[in-house]
Amino acid sequence: MQIEVVKSKIHRVKVTGADLNYIGSITIDEDLMDAANIIRGEKVQIVNNNNGERLETYAIPGPRGSGELTLNGAAARKVAVGDVLILITYAWMDIEEAKTFNPALVFPNEETNMLN
């Protein structure tokens, strides 16, 4: 049997941009992606703490050390610059592996989105 578990989480990052005319996705500072073990194109669940919206899209890397967190395409309508988000990825694994698996949990600086 396999179950879906949290693979990684970036907790409380601030939206820096919303680009309705960009072709879908979320742009994430590549340093944050590395810290959370998120790869280019990976599905990401986005939870908006400001308005309760939840959505899924895929990750694309932004410039390292920029703190960028931009929602692109239709997802841009679900956020406002300055909103605080939680980003979550999931993975399927055998139940025995899941019992000992430790997800990557990242808690960046809430003001700058930079790693502490």
Side-chain angles (χ1 to χ4, degrees), residues 20-74:
L20 184 61
N21 296 312
Y22 190 88
I23 301 171
S25 69
I26 181 171
T27 304
I28 306 169
D29 179 324
E30 198 165 4
D31 286 341
L32 292 174
M33 287 179 64
D34 287 350
N37 196 25
I38 297 172
I39 64 167
R40 175 190 306 263
E42 185 170 358
K43 182 167 76 170
V44 178
Q45 180 183 43
I46 301 163
V47 180
N48 188 325
N49 283 359
N50 291 79
N51 64 20
E53 289 281 355
R54 288 177 173 255
L55 62 116
E56 292 179 343
T57 189
Y58 59 94
I60 60 172
R64 288 187 181 280
S66 66
E68 182 177 355
L69 191 78
T70 301
L71 277 291
N72 303 304

Side-chain angles (χ1 to χ4, degrees), residues 85-101:
L85 308 180
I86 298 171
L87 311 180
I88 309 164
T89 65
Y90 299 88
W92 288 94
M93 60 187 71
D94 293 328
I95 195 163
E96 291 305 314
E97 180 183 6
K99 288 178 181 179
T100 59
F101 178 77

